[in-house]
Amino acid sequence: MSMHRKTYTLTEQQDGWVETQVENGHFGNDSECILGLVLKDKQAKERFAMLRQALVEGESSGVPKPLNILAIKAVGGAVIGVQ
């Protein structure tokens, strides 16, 4: 993967936030913080796209059936070992 050097201008408040993240040990340096934000945004957009696709699939899956909350609770209880 090729790397590209970029220069960004931050407000004083934004720079302070980045510095705080580094000082608190969340990132090793400013660049890691910015790269972390880019990755987090990318992952959020991917999750949103997956959710949107699931909703489209659900809407096109046919006529909905009535919700049986007792059956859902029974399955959920079995999964976590509670009856």
Side-chain angles (χ1 to χ4, degrees):
M1 172 177 20
S2 64
M3 303 293 279
H4 299 274
R5 180 173 286 279
K6 303 264 182 187
T7 302
Y8 297 96
T9 303
L10 302 175
T11 66
E12 209 171 301
Q13 182 181 15
Q14 292 166 335
D15 187 53
W17 185 86
V18 170
E19 287 179 7
T20 300
Q21 298 305 303
V22 174
E23 288 169 3
N24 290 337
H26 299 292
F27 301 96
N29 57 44
D30 293 7
S31 293
E32 286 180 12
C33 182
I34 300 302
L35 292 172
L37 293 172
V38 170
L39 177 60
K40 186 175 181 179
D41 183 63
K42 181 179 180 280
Q43 291 170 336
K45 285 181 172 55
E46 288 170 354
R47 285 191 306 271
F48 184 74
M50 289 172 52
L51 176 60
R52 182 178 292 279
Q53 181 61 34
L55 289 170
V56 168
E57 290 172 10
E59 288 175 344
S60 63
S61 67
V63 178
K65 298 175 185 167
L67 179 65
N68 182 341
I69 193 68
L70 294 176
I72 293 171
K73 286 182 178 181
V75 170
V79 169
I80 62 171
V82 177
Q83 304 230 8

